[in-house]
Amino acid sequence: MRRTPATITDVAREARVSKTTASDALRGHGRVSEPTRRAVLAAAERLGYAPNRSARSLRTSVTGTIALHVPESLTSAEYSMPFVFGVTEQAARAGLNVTLLPSGHLPHRGTVPQADGVVLCDPVTEDPVVEQLMNSGLPVVTAERHVGDRQPTGVVRPDHETSMTELLDHLRANGARRPAFIASDTTSDRSTTLRSAHARWSEAHGLPHLVRSALSGSPPDVLRAVVRELLAETPGIDAVVCAADGAAAAVLPELRAAGRRVGHDLLLASCADSSAMRTAEPPITAVDLRPRAVGAACGRLLCEILSGDTPPGTVRDLPVELNIRASTRTRRCAVPVRDVEAGD
């Protein structure tokens, strides 16, 4: 597997032409025969070659556009649209356009989009578009860290470790001694951070580390099956925390079918807030990930890097907020969090 981006020299060598001919063929300039042009484009695609725009001055806008990639697992989530709006608002303030790159669609001919930089939302290593963009040579700002080999130009990182710890502390203050975690089965920064925070918290309090995994974007019947199996194997569970957007509301019917009363003998919480959490019965305690603020922070950081006002390698932490609702409010809350009602 290639660890460094391909160069124009690599393309020329692969196509068995001169560096000048390879450059002309890729740019559509000069007198290059059609067979030679096709050979160069095929070589560029095989090598994943992309023009190294980041070697140019970051103070000069080349295209006036930034690219935005949202993973397939989030396209149906409530998180994605506020995040997109946050990015586009900041880009508009800087006079830049935004082009959206769908998951599973590799840029044509193995090149990168015609953009000055890229924003990646919750990048996962399994996404081939993420790998190609990370190797593109363009400045890349990610919402969450990239867990692959290459590091982005900038990172905006919501504080998932603190939010998970506060959530588990809240559950413990309300009587939970066997909290189970339904984790997302992806290799993203958020997923690994939530898993490790839950493991550390359980060990620190001498409590069992009860974890089950579900694929990100799993349908409700799959999530309910995971909870059904969990309750059968460990009937003493007194709290369930779900990582995925919407998962906590999806498993409510299964908990009721098992004879559990949410908010009484079993506490239920989500690591991602949404309208489904607010309108559930009972309303579900959840972490507000502030997607619009995260998107705005990503867009702002990329624009600052492009203008030269902020150095590459900048990492910005962003606080998130725990909203306490009836699904966990069995006693007075003992941690500094925001107490909200169903219509917040």
Side-chain angles (χ1 to χ4, degrees):
M1 180 181 296
R2 174 177 289 275
R3 295 297 182 183
T4 58
T7 66
I8 188 66
T9 301
D10 296 327
V11 174
R13 185 182 302 113
E14 178 78 7
R16 298 183 179 181
V17 297
S18 69
K19 183 177 175 181
T20 300
T21 299
S23 178
D24 288 344
L26 290 168
R27 292 184 296 126
H29 294 171
R31 295 184 178 181
V32 180
S33 68
E34 184 60 20
T36 299
R37 186 184 69 84
R38 288 198 298 267
V40 171
L41 293 176
E45 183 172 3
R46 287 194 299 273
L47 297 175
Y49 170 78
N52 187 5
R53 292 190 182 91
S54 64
R56 304 176 186 178
S57 171
L58 292 179
R59 293 187 179 273
T60 303
S61 176
V62 178
T63 68
T65 299
I66 63 175
L68 170 60
H69 176 264
V70 178
E72 189 70 30
S73 61
L74 286 183
T75 53
S76 61
E78 197 170 302
Y79 181 97
S80 59
M81 285 310 296
F83 180 88
V84 171
F85 280 127
V87 174
T88 55
E89 285 170 353
Q90 291 301 313
R93 289 181 183 180
L96 300 173
N97 297 315
V98 176
T99 182
L100 187 62
L101 303 176
S103 292
H105 176 71
L106 293 173
H108 186 54
R109 297 173 182 168
T111 62
V112 294
Q114 295 298 306
D116 299 322
V118 180
V119 171
L120 298 180
C121 178
D122 199 15
V124 296
T125 57
E126 295 90 350
D127 190 336
V129 177
V130 168
E131 181 181 358
Q132 185 157 343
L133 292 172
M134 287 297 298
N135 288 292
S136 68
L138 289 170
V140 176
V141 168
T142 62
E144 315 290 354
R145 294 185 187 275
H146 180 241
V147 297
D149 295 330
R150 298 190 63 81
Q151 295 305 306
T153 317
V155 178
V156 173
R157 195 168 191 246
D159 193 354
H160 300 301
E161 181 163 358
T162 297
S163 68
M164 175 61 107
T165 301
E166 287 186 347
L167 173 55
L168 292 169
D169 284 344
H170 165 68
L171 296 178
R172 188 170 186 270
N174 282 269
R177 293 298 180 269
R178 296 177 71 81
F181 181 40
I182 310 300
S184 294
D185 192 15
T186 60
T187 53
S188 68
D189 182 39
R190 176 175 179 266
S191 295
T192 54
T193 299
L194 291 176
R195 280 178 177 270
S196 60
H198 179 264
R200 281 193 295 271
W201 183 90
S202 299
E203 182 178 0
H205 291 279
L207 299 177
H209 184 212
L210 304 172
V211 179
R212 293 294 185 278
S213 296
L215 290 174
S216 182
S218 293
D221 60 326
V222 172
L223 294 169
R224 288 195 287 268
V226 171
V227 169
R228 187 183 313 125
E229 178 181 315
L230 183 63
L231 293 174
E233 293 179 357
T234 316
I237 285 173
D238 51 19
V240 174
V241 178
C242 297
D245 185 357
V251 302
L252 264 173
E254 189 62 39
L255 297 174
R256 293 195 186 101
R260 308 303 294 270
R261 294 190 303 153
V262 173
H264 296 276
D265 68 320
L266 186 139
L267 308 183
L268 178 64
S270 172
C271 294
D273 206 356
S274 66
S275 57
M277 303 302 110
R278 296 187 290 271
T279 59
E281 184 53 47
I284 298 171
T285 291
V287 176
D288 182 0
L289 298 176
R290 304 174 62 213
R292 195 163 191 144
V294 177
C298 288
R300 186 162 52 249
L301 178 55
L302 179 58
C303 290
E304 290 174 4
I305 290 172
L306 291 172
S307 68
D309 294 332
T310 298
T314 297
V315 177
R316 290 179 178 167
D317 294 321
L318 198 69
V320 292
E321 191 171 59
L322 177 60
N323 292 331
I324 303 300
R325 301 190 178 101
S327 69
T328 63
R329 197 192 291 125
T330 61
R331 292 203 301 269
R332 186 175 180 272
C333 179
V335 293
V337 294
R338 178 177 168 222
D339 203 354
V340 296
E341 298 299 331
D344 61 334

